[in-house]
Amino acid sequence: MSILHKFIQKIPQLVHSIRLNNNSMIVIGSLVFLLGIALFIIWLYRMIVTQFEELQRVQGLLQKIHLTDQLDHNLTVILELIQGIIEAPYYAFYIGDIHGEKYTLRVTTHPFDDFDGVGPAYSGIALPKRETYLPPLVVDRPSTTELVELVTSGEVPLILIRFDECMAFIRVGPVQQLRKKSQRQLQKLSGQISHLIDDLIHIETERERAQIAVRADESIRKIAGVATDKRAALTLIVSAFTGLSGSLGGVIIDFANEDRPLIYGTDLTVKVTKYLQEDHSSIQILEKLLDGREYRLVTRSDMEFYSLPSYILEQGCGAIVVTHIQPNGLLLIMYGEGFDAQTFLDGGPIQIKLLVDQLSNIQLQESSRDQLSKIYSQILWNTADVLDGFQTYTVAYSDMMTRYSLAIGKKLHLSDEQLTDLALAAHLSNIGTIGISSELIVKSGKYTDFEYETMQLHSEIGAAMIQIATGNDRTASYVLYHHERMDGQGYPVGLKGKDIPIGARILHVVQFFLAKIDGRPWRDPVSFDVALDALQLVAGKQLDPEVVQALIEWFEERGRDPAVKNQSLGRCYEMCCTPRVICETCPVFHVDTIHCWEVGDNRCKSHGRSCSTCFVRTEYLSRETRLTAFHSP
């Protein structure tokens, strides 16, 4: 009982103790609650500040972006915004093509100019020097659907940023990791600016379409005179030649008028042309440089160079070429200060010779009214030959187009009238390129959508030239539609199957074949067998299978001719239509007892060919291999 009594006596103390402890717990709980509120307020404040900073950043972006600016400028501004979120050596903006399968590098920035692939200056993101990264020009469509994630290009880790509303993405890198915070910021930004990027691309597309329409109109108006005016034709031809050959420009001096020579030049030589018109003594200096010779190259290493008029030297001139044009004229071509005589001598004289020959042909045309259509057709024909001679790998292209198109046309039993129109269309199939930028014609990389659509104009421009010059609707239609496809995916209007004129279908097959067997500075031609296989592979989709088969059968029939046993199907001047000016200097021109590729100092390079890949040789080897296999036991 005593123990129970003692416990009862201590009850008040326990209660008082519990009250004190309870008050402490309340105080502690209150403090914890207040601390939680404070932390929440701090977190909320930081979140508001962060969002405010992000909002300011986006608003700053919007202030820098102007819809009237070029797309590249606006995309660069967006890349600068990305740089504020994550540091990297390179930022690359890719835009998808019209099919959305390939993406082309549109803008790239590398803010760390001293980047050499090593060092801690990028918060640990830089990789070892061996993994220094250069963004590729063209990439495939990303397979991922994530807005932001870490991907690899080869062995190089990159951050990929996609945009849901448009065919565009950004690559950032190289990086070693993608932090969660940076990923969230980039994801949020992607959603915020996706519509903006889509609008920017759409506006640029519409602007480019308008530019294409204007360029088409200007080109057609420009070439309208070319088709019917010798002077306009000569001027445009020289302009195109100087643009493609990298010279400063050219001037034609025509002495047809005995009282006063006619002098006209390219856009880049307006000043020189003007002074020559006023200073005939300078013309005498140019004639004296020739001193009876057909052609003369004068460089800074020649004393005569410094006898040239000051207004020529003031143009930044490093060399000139002076040559005669028949029947009575001079051509002056000016080259810049960086002129390399050795490089020029490797192919320049042949190109200028081809140019002068065709300019002379145009000059010699008679101008009687009853022969105007024939004369204008001949001017266009000569103009096409001039364009072919501007680059070694296109020498005689138009003649080859004509030769193989007629071979197919005869196999398909076209009428004589159709064959005549086909021959002219084949020779003039690329005449419209004279109205297009020379930079695009010689471009070696992939075209942007704008450049591709601009290049497509050549068929419309060419058809307009033919229509203006000859009034021949059928020939014009062959040229207009020669890039249409059997599956309806071609241009300019998407004709399908037999709706495409037969002449246009023939031109398409021959162009495809020549594109395979002719080389380019950036790629070698394929062998004869591979070219035929490529034709058959796209027959029915891109090309007319009946036309493809006609070309193959023509080659097979030629190969069965006993006259070509143990021989090529023809000499270079026959199979490649190589111009006489090249053939006459070739040691195998008149030698029929030896293959041209067996002579080391032949002139193959003068018309853009190499014996190891030339289809004249690869066809022969293929045929000999098949015959050997056929006769083997």
Side-chain angles (χ1 to χ4, degrees):
M1 292 295 293
S2 59
I3 296 174
L4 178 62
H5 178 73
K6 290 179 179 179
F7 175 75
I8 292 172
Q9 287 179 337
K10 290 184 177 181
I11 286 176
Q13 286 182 308
L14 291 172
V15 171
H16 181 68
S17 175
I18 290 172
R19 284 177 180 174
L20 289 175
N21 290 337
N22 190 44
N23 289 337
S24 297
M25 291 175 63
I26 291 173
V27 171
I28 293 171
S30 299
L31 291 174
V32 170
F33 177 73
L34 293 173
L35 180 61
I37 291 176
L39 291 174
F40 174 75
I41 291 173
I42 292 172
W43 172 82
L44 185 62
Y45 172 77
R46 288 181 176 176
M47 185 178 70
I48 292 172
V49 169
T50 300
Q51 290 182 341
F52 180 72
E53 289 175 347
E54 290 179 359
L55 180 61
Q56 280 190 316
R57 197 160 48 231
V58 174
Q59 287 178 338
L61 164 72
L62 295 175
Q63 290 175 357
K64 291 183 179 180
I65 286 180
H66 303 286
L67 298 181
T68 56
D69 288 341
Q70 293 295 319
L71 179 63
D72 291 359
H73 165 78
N74 289 328
L75 297 185
T76 301
V77 172
I78 294 173
L79 291 184
E80 290 174 356
L81 184 64
I82 303 295
Q83 293 171 21
I85 298 176
I86 189 164
E87 290 183 330
Y90 293 98
Y91 302 78
F93 213 123
Y94 288 86
I95 302 295
D97 61 19
I98 54 178
H99 304 295
E101 296 299 326
K102 295 291 184 180
Y103 285 70
T104 303
L105 180 63
R106 186 64 185 252
V107 173
T108 181
T109 62
H110 36 90
F112 306 108
D113 292 334
D114 59 346
F115 175 66
D116 62 359
V118 66
Y122 313 129
S123 305
I125 62 169
L127 298 178
K129 188 172 183 178
R130 63 183 176 84
E131 294 186 295
T132 298
Y133 175 72
L134 290 176
L137 296 178
V138 180
V139 296
D140 293 329
R141 178 175 59 184
S143 57
T144 179
T145 58
E146 296 292 330
L147 289 181
V148 179
E149 67 174 327
L150 195 64
V151 298
T152 58
S153 176
E155 297 181 358
V156 179
L158 306 167
I159 295 174
L160 175 69
I161 307 169
R162 292 180 58 256
F163 304 96
D164 276 341
E165 302 297 329
C166 55
M167 293 190 300
F169 64 81
I170 295 172
R171 279 180 164 187
V172 178
V175 298
Q176 287 184 329
Q177 60 181 330
L178 174 59
R179 295 187 176 91
K180 290 292 185 181
K181 179 181 177 181
S182 298
Q183 185 175 23
R184 287 194 298 269
Q185 287 180 304
L186 293 173
Q187 287 172 339
K188 187 173 182 179
L189 179 64
S190 172
Q192 289 173 329
I193 65 176
S194 179
H195 286 290
L196 172 63
I197 294 174
D198 186 47
D199 289 341
L200 291 175
I201 294 175
H202 177 72
I203 290 171
E204 183 74 3
T205 300
E206 293 304 314
R207 181 188 292 122
E208 289 178 345
R209 286 176 179 170
Q211 291 174 355
I212 290 171
V214 170
R215 180 173 293 184
D217 182 63
E218 290 177 348
S219 297
I220 291 174
R221 283 190 284 107
K222 180 172 67 173
I223 56 83
V226 174
T228 56
D229 179 21
K230 289 183 187 179
R231 178 170 172 175
L234 292 169
T235 303
L236 189 56
I237 288 168
V238 174
S239 296
F241 175 82
T242 54
L244 291 171
S245 64
S247 65
L248 296 176
V251 178
I252 294 175
I253 304 170
D254 187 353
F255 298 104
N257 186 336
E258 295 182 0
D259 297 331
R260 187 178 183 87
L262 296 174
I263 304 173
Y264 38 98
T266 63
D267 293 341
L268 297 176
T269 57
V270 172
K271 183 177 180 180
V272 173
T273 302
K274 177 183 177 182
Y275 278 113
L276 284 174
Q277 289 171 340
E278 300 171 353
D279 178 20
H280 290 181
S281 62
S282 297
I283 298 176
Q284 295 174 356
I285 293 175
L286 296 175
E287 288 185 290
K288 187 176 179 180
L289 285 175
L290 283 173
D291 193 23
R293 286 170 287 191
E294 182 180 10
Y295 158 89
R296 180 76 189 277
L297 168 67
V298 183
T299 69
R300 288 179 177 270
S301 60
D302 300 311
M303 290 299 299
E304 295 96 330
F305 182 83
Y306 301 95
S307 67
L308 293 173
S310 59
Y311 51 81
I312 291 181
L313 301 180
E314 289 169 359
Q315 303 301 306
C317 184
I320 67 166
V321 168
V322 185
T323 181
H324 281 295
I325 301 177
Q326 297 297 330
N328 192 10
L330 290 178
L331 171 65
L332 166 66
I333 299 176
M334 299 165 49
Y335 291 87
E337 294 177 347
F339 176 80
D340 185 337
Q342 186 56 52
T343 301
F344 173 82
L345 292 173
D346 287 342
I350 287 292
Q351 289 183 331
I352 291 178
K353 173 64 175 171
L354 292 170
L355 170 68
V356 169
D357 283 352
Q358 297 304 331
L359 291 178
S360 298
N361 287 338
I362 295 174
Q363 283 278 62
L364 290 167
Q365 293 296 325
E366 297 294 338
S367 300
S368 57
R369 287 183 176 271
D370 58 341
Q371 293 183 328
L372 282 180
S373 179
K374 180 179 179 181
I375 291 169
Y376 296 154
S377 297
Q378 189 62 45
I379 288 176
L380 292 182
W381 188 283
N382 294 138
T383 301
D385 289 336
V386 173
L387 292 174
D388 293 345
F390 287 171
Q391 297 161 293
T392 56
Y393 56 85
T394 59
V395 168
Y397 177 83
S398 298
D399 285 332
M400 291 184 71
M401 280 294 302
T402 304
R403 170 176 171 75
Y404 295 107
S405 294
L406 285 177
I408 295 173
K410 291 176 181 177
K411 283 286 297 179
L412 297 176
H413 307 294
L414 298 188
S415 66
D416 290 344
E417 186 178 358
Q418 285 178 306
L419 290 174
T420 298
D421 293 340
L422 176 63
L424 182 59
H427 203 86
L428 303 182
S429 57
N430 276 349
I431 190 70
T433 58
I434 201 169
I436 295 174
S437 166
S438 58
E439 289 80 5
L440 285 184
I441 297 173
V442 299
K443 180 175 178 177
S444 58
K446 178 182 173 64
Y447 290 129
T448 65
D449 287 345
F450 173 63
E451 292 171 337
Y452 178 67
E453 291 187 33
T454 300
M455 282 301 295
Q456 289 181 357
L457 289 175
H458 81 276
S459 58
E460 298 175 59
I461 295 172
M465 294 177 75
I466 293 167
Q467 182 64 45
I468 292 169
T470 69
N472 189 321
D473 292 336
R474 183 158 57 197
T475 298
S477 72
Y478 289 172
V479 172
L480 178 61
Y481 300 123
H482 76 280
H483 280 291
E484 299 287 4
R485 294 169 49 113
M486 296 298 287
D487 58 10
Q489 300 300 310
Y491 65 86
V493 296
L495 295 181
K496 187 175 182 179
K498 300 299 182 180
D499 291 338
I500 306 169
I502 180 61
R505 282 179 271 148
I506 292 173
L507 296 187
H508 198 168
V509 169
V510 177
Q511 279 202 345
F512 185 96
F513 174 69
L514 295 185
K516 296 297 180 182
I517 65 168
D518 286 343
R520 294 291 185 270
W522 58 91
R523 65 167 174 82
D524 290 329
V526 303
S527 68
F528 177 78
D529 280 345
V530 172
L532 294 192
D533 289 342
L535 282 170
Q536 293 175 309
L537 186 64
V538 297
K541 293 177 289 186
Q542 178 177 346
L543 305 176
D544 185 337
E546 183 181 1
V547 177
V548 169
Q549 189 59 33
L551 179 62
I552 293 173
E553 289 178 359
W554 182 82
F555 276 113
E556 290 176 346
E557 291 172 3
R558 288 290 304 269
R560 289 194 294 268
D561 187 344
V564 299
K565 185 178 181 181
N566 300 322
Q567 298 289 332
S568 62
L569 289 184
R571 312 295 283 179
C572 282
Y573 51 81
E574 180 186 0
M575 302 302 293
C576 303
C577 304
T578 310
R580 176 172 289 274
V581 66
I582 295 176
C583 289
E584 286 179 340
T585 60
C586 184
V588 291
F589 181 41
H590 292 297
V591 181
D592 295 328
T593 58
I594 189 172
H595 295 125
C596 57
W597 58 84
E598 295 174 345
V599 178
D601 58 345
N602 61 48
R603 300 304 305 273
C604 287
K605 289 184 178 180
S606 298
H607 55 107
R609 299 188 181 276
S610 168
C611 289
S612 62
T613 57
C614 179
F615 87 107
V616 175
R617 176 175 178 267
T618 58
E619 186 283 329
Y620 165 78
L621 294 177
S622 172
R623 180 161 36 91
E624 289 298 299
T625 300
R626 292 196 303 273
L627 289 174
T628 301
F630 178 77
H631 292 294
S632 297

